[in-house]
Amino acid sequence: MKLFYPLEVSMALRFIFSGRNHRFASFVAALATLGTAIGVCALITVASVMQSLQGRLSSSLLGSSPHIVALTSPDNEEKLLKLPHVLAAGPFVSARALLQTKNGMGLVNLMGYDPALVKLSDKAQNTALDLGEVPPAGSFRLNAGGVLYDRFGLESGDRVMLTSTINARYTVAGLTPVRRSFTLEGYLPSLHTNGVVDAVASLDDARRLLRIPEDQFHVRLWLDSPFNADKVEKELDAMGIKYDDWKESQGEFFRSVAMERLSMMVMLFLIVIAAAFNILSALAMTVSARIREIAVLKTMGMRSSGVVGMFTSEGLLLGCAGCATGVISGILLSEHCGPLLYLLGVPSGRTLEVVVNPLTVITIVVLSISLCVICTLYPALKAASADPVKNLASE
């Protein structure tokens, strides 16, 4: 192989490919490159699939759940619409109610709002905002979580009885709760848990059942992302407004999803760490095997910094080759993940929506290459500190 400028990169390529007399070191270097590629590929694939899963869960489960409910009157809607990340705001009522069916009873979280009364902020002009479907006022129809249908064997069109003790009245018979018959109409995405199931009715129907005056409405906020709730809540704290958010009902589930994603990423990153240590082993063997060549280069005028650059370039080239292979294979595997799982018999369907985030890919590549470069420092400094006189005299 002919030498070229810069000399450090040229010598690094020479050490990598001229391995006839150093086959074992070259074999370890090849394993390190392969390990880096496998680790980067697995990280990109898992990160893309988990991010897609989190996005789909967020859009389905949190689409019908209120992102934030500001416990204030609708008179403050204009102030709330000016907060960052707030796309819309509207009057809202919510309370627990007892649902009675032909197959049993259970608690529901009755929510009422009217999309026609929702005000959009300036930030929502170019945003496709999904306010959800609400039965018309006066119909006394109910959209309930799918778990409720499964739990009590219900179907769309069945009639249920809702009982509320909110603002109950005292009569000659004692404390009399409010009872009203509702007809089930639509489905809401929900988790299969033993918790309280959400149900949506029109604002007027829910207000009449709960006996809530119009001046006691709260304000529901729609955000550009449910995960920006913490930023909005800081502004609400500064304004002295109390609030409820989606994390009270769905927070534990999404925290478990985030923890699972983090644990899988850490476990897969261990593959990259092991590959980086293989690069360290390969360079350490290269330094031991080529100590005479290093001594000759130093006697010919190569500085210690040049020796460090030479071996650092070798580790960098191995890391970049593994990362490039891993990125290409990871993106291809992510885009064809659905058909592959279908062929393997995994019940995921032929089409699996996977989102490859460029920022995530760049972060994985930068961390992997940085780790590979760090692992080259010890053998590079060891080679630079070698005494050429003693090494040549020993030959």
Side-chain angles (χ1 to χ4, degrees), residues 321-395:
C323 287
T325 306
V327 168
I328 295 173
S329 57
I331 293 176
L332 292 176
L333 184 59
S334 299
E335 293 180 350
H336 298 85
C337 190
L340 289 176
L341 292 177
Y342 180 80
L343 292 176
L344 294 175
V346 179
S348 62
R350 290 181 178 270
T351 58
L352 178 65
E353 295 182 4
V354 178
V355 178
V356 180
N357 190 350
L359 182 59
T360 303
V361 175
I362 293 174
T363 303
I364 293 173
V365 171
V366 170
L367 290 176
S368 301
I369 293 179
S370 300
L371 184 60
C372 293
V373 172
I374 291 173
C375 289
T376 63
L377 293 179
Y378 174 76
L381 294 175
K382 191 71 174 178
S385 62
D387 188 354
V389 177
K390 291 182 179 180
N391 292 330
L392 290 176
S394 64
E395 293 290 334

Side-chain angles (χ1 to χ4, degrees), residues 258-274:
M259 185 62 66
E260 182 179 359
R261 177 185 178 186
L262 178 62
S263 61
M264 293 182 67
M265 295 286 287
V266 171
M267 292 176 61
L268 292 174
F269 195 68
L270 294 176
I271 300 176
V272 180
I273 294 177

